[in-house]
C-alpha cells in the first residue's frame, strides 16, 4: 500500500505591525495632498513676483482643502503684480494692478468684487481712484504701498506727518478718499499737515474739502498706461477684420509707447471688455468691440 501524499504546507506572511499600518495611509494622504497643490503656488513661493508661466487658478473645491492657500482673486492679483515693470520706475512705485484686469483671469466679477472687498477690509490691499477715468481703480498690496511711501518721503520735512498718516489713518480706515471733517476732527490733522500730504503725493484733491488717497509718483504710470493702451488697440485695429490671435499679439515687436509690457495691456483690454475673446482651434482671438 502506497504511503499517503505529504500535505503541502503554505507559509503565510506575518500581519503588518501597527506602525506600518499607520505609516502607509499617512504617506498616501501626504502624497495626495502634494499632488492636489497646483504648480502655480509652488512657483509663486519660489518667485513671489517673478513671471509665472502657464497660470492656472485654484478651483473652489481645492481651495477649501488647504488653509492659507490664496483664493482666486489673490492668486490673480499676485500674478498680475508680477507683470508690473518695477525697473521702469526705478522700483519707486509699488506694483499697481488695475481692478478690471482681475476680470481677465477670474471670470466671475461678483467673486472678484467680494473677495477684493474682503482683502481691503482686512487691510491687505489699498484701492485707488485714478483721475483719468472714474471707472478705473488701482489695487496695491498695503505693505508695498507703505514701504514705497516711506522711502519716497524719508528725507522730506513732511516725513513725520506722512508716518503719522500711515500709522493712524491707513490702519483704521479703508476708504479710498477722505473729507475735511474726517481729517480734521476724527484724525486731528491740521490744514498745514493736509497740505504736506498733498505735496508729498499721498492725497490728491477730489473736490473742495475732500481728497483721494494717492500713490506718490503714479503720474508717470498713468501717462504710460494711457499711451500703451492706445497703442495696443491701434495694433489690433490695423489687423485684418480688427482681430488678432492673442499669442501673435503677445509675441509681436511693440513700439516704445508700450512701456508697461504687452501682457500687462492684454489683461487690461480684455478685463475692460475693449475686445472680445473668441476661442478658436489655433488659440484665443481678440476682436475689437464695436461699442
Amino acid at each position: 500500500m502506497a504511503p499517503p501524499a505529504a500535505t503541502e504546507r503554505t507559509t503565510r506572511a506575518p500581519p503588518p505591525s501597527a506602525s506600518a499600518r499607520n505609516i502607509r495611509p499617512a504617506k498616501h494622504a501626504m502624497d495626495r495632498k502634494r499632488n492636489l497643490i497646483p504648480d502655480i503656488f509652488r512657483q509663486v513661493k519660489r518667485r513671489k513676483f517673478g513671471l509665472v508661466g502657464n497660470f492656472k487658478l485654484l478651483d473652489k473645491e481645492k481651495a477649501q482643502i488647504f488653509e492659507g492657500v490664496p483664493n482666486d482673486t489673490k492668486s490673480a492679483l499676485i500674478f498680475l503684480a508680477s507683470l508690473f515693470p518695477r525697473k521702469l520706475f526705478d522700483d519707486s512705485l509699488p506694483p499697481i494692478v488695475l481692478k478690471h484686469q482681475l476680470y481677465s483671469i477670474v471670470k466671475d466679477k461678483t467673486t472678484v468684487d467680494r473677495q477684493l472687498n474682503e482683502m481691503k477690509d482686512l487691510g491687505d490691499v489699498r484701492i485707488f481712484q485714478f483721475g483719468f477715468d472714474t471707472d478705473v481703480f488701482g489695487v496695491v498690496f498695503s505693505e508695498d504701498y507703505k514701504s514705497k511711501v516711506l522711502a519716497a518721503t524719508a528725507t522730506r520735512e513732511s516725513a513725520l506727518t506722512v508716518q503719522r498718516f500711515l500709522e493712524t489713518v491707513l490702519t483704521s480706515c479703508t476708504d479710498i478718499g477722505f473729507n475735511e471733517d474726517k481729517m480734521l476732527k476724527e484724525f486731528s490733522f491740521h490744514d498745514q499737515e493736509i497740505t504736506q500730504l498733498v505735496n508729498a503725493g499721498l492725497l490728491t484733491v477730489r473736490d473742495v474739502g475732500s481728497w483721494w488717497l494717492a500713490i506718490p509718483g503714479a503720474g508717470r504710470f498713468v501717462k504710460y498706461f494711457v499711451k500703451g493702451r492706445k497703442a495696443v488697440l491701434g495694433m489690433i485695429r490695423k489687423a485684418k477684420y480688427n482681430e488678432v490671435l492673442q499669442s501673435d499679439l503677445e509675441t509681436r515687436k511693440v513700439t516704445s509707447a508700450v512701456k508697461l509690457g504687452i501682457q500687462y495691456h492684454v489683461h487690461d483690454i480684455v478685463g475692460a471688455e475693449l475686445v472680445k475673446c473668441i476661442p478658436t482651434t489655433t488659440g484665443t482671438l481678440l476682436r475689437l468691440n464695436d461699442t
Side-chain angles (χ1 to χ4, degrees):
M1 183 175 178
T7 304
E8 184 179 357
R9 287 188 177 182
T10 57
T11 304
R12 296 183 179 177
S17 63
S19 59
R21 287 196 301 269
N22 293 333
I23 291 174
R24 289 180 182 177
K27 184 178 185 303
H28 177 72
M30 187 179 296
D31 291 340
R32 179 176 176 272
K33 194 171 184 179
R34 287 172 179 168
N35 291 334
L36 285 174
I37 299 177
D39 291 337
I40 176 61
F41 299 119
R42 298 194 183 100
Q43 293 177 14
V44 170
K45 186 176 181 180
R46 289 195 300 266
R47 300 180 295 172
K48 185 175 180 181
F49 285 107
L51 180 60
V52 180
N54 299 323
F55 181 77
K56 294 182 180 179
L57 292 172
L58 185 67
D59 62 54
K60 294 180 180 178
E61 182 179 354
K62 292 180 181 178
Q64 294 172 353
I65 298 176
F66 303 102
E67 185 179 356
V69 170
N71 60 33
D72 292 345
T73 302
K74 187 172 183 179
S75 304
L77 191 59
I78 292 173
F79 170 70
L80 290 168
S82 76
L83 300 180
F84 186 81
R86 293 188 179 208
K87 291 183 180 180
L88 180 64
F89 304 98
D90 299 321
D91 203 24
S92 62
L93 292 180
I96 300 172
V97 175
L98 302 176
K99 180 182 176 181
H100 64 263
Q101 286 179 312
L102 296 167
Y103 301 149
S104 69
I105 297 177
V106 184
K107 301 304 181 182
D108 187 348
K109 293 183 180 181
T110 303
T111 296
V112 171
D113 295 344
R114 176 176 55 80
Q115 294 182 341
L116 193 60
N117 282 331
E118 290 173 356
M119 294 172 65
K120 177 177 69 71
D121 292 341
L122 290 172
D124 293 336
V125 298
R126 300 297 311 195
I127 298 179
F128 303 85
Q129 215 288 328
F130 293 118
F132 68 93
D133 191 330
T134 56
D135 293 328
V136 176
F137 295 90
V139 184
V140 171
F141 283 107
S142 298
E143 291 304 316
D144 290 337
Y145 177 73
K146 291 177 183 178
S147 64
K148 297 304 178 186
V149 166
L150 289 173
T153 60
T155 58
R156 293 195 177 194
E157 293 182 1
S158 58
L160 291 177
T161 302
V162 169
Q163 186 171 355
R164 185 162 75 90
F165 177 79
L166 295 177
E167 292 176 352
T168 57
V169 179
L170 291 197
T171 56
S172 60
C173 182
T174 60
D175 296 343
I176 64 174
F178 313 96
N179 57 33
E180 189 174 26
D181 190 62
K182 184 181 287 288
M183 290 295 292
L184 294 177
K185 296 181 180 180
E186 185 174 341
F187 296 114
S188 302
F189 279 86
H190 303 299
D191 289 334
Q192 183 181 359
E193 292 174 319
I194 294 174
T195 301
Q196 288 180 334
L197 293 173
V198 172
N199 293 336
L202 275 76
L203 297 177
T204 56
V205 177
R206 176 183 182 182
D207 205 342
V208 178
S210 64
W211 304 268
W212 292 115
L213 180 66
I215 304 172
R220 284 176 62 203
F221 163 76
V222 172
K223 178 181 177 181
Y224 294 158
F225 170 75
V226 173
K227 285 187 175 182
R229 173 191 273 190
K230 183 178 179 181
V232 173
L233 291 175
M235 293 168 64
I236 302 176
R237 190 170 288 109
K238 291 178 181 178
K240 191 175 182 180
Y241 305 122
N242 292 341
E243 59 187 32
V244 63
L245 282 172
Q246 180 177 336
S247 57
D248 290 346
L249 181 63
E250 292 180 344
T251 55
R252 282 188 184 182
K253 185 177 181 180
V254 297
T255 65
S256 58
V258 189
K259 294 182 182 296
L260 298 178
I262 188 66
Q263 284 190 317
Y264 190 91
H265 282 292
V266 167
H267 285 287
D268 162 47
I269 62 177
V270 171
E273 297 182 349
L274 299 176
V275 294
K276 294 179 181 177
C277 295
I278 304 171
T280 70
T281 56
T282 54
T284 301
L285 188 71
L286 303 180
R287 177 181 296 164
L288 283 181
N289 262 326
D290 297 331
T291 57

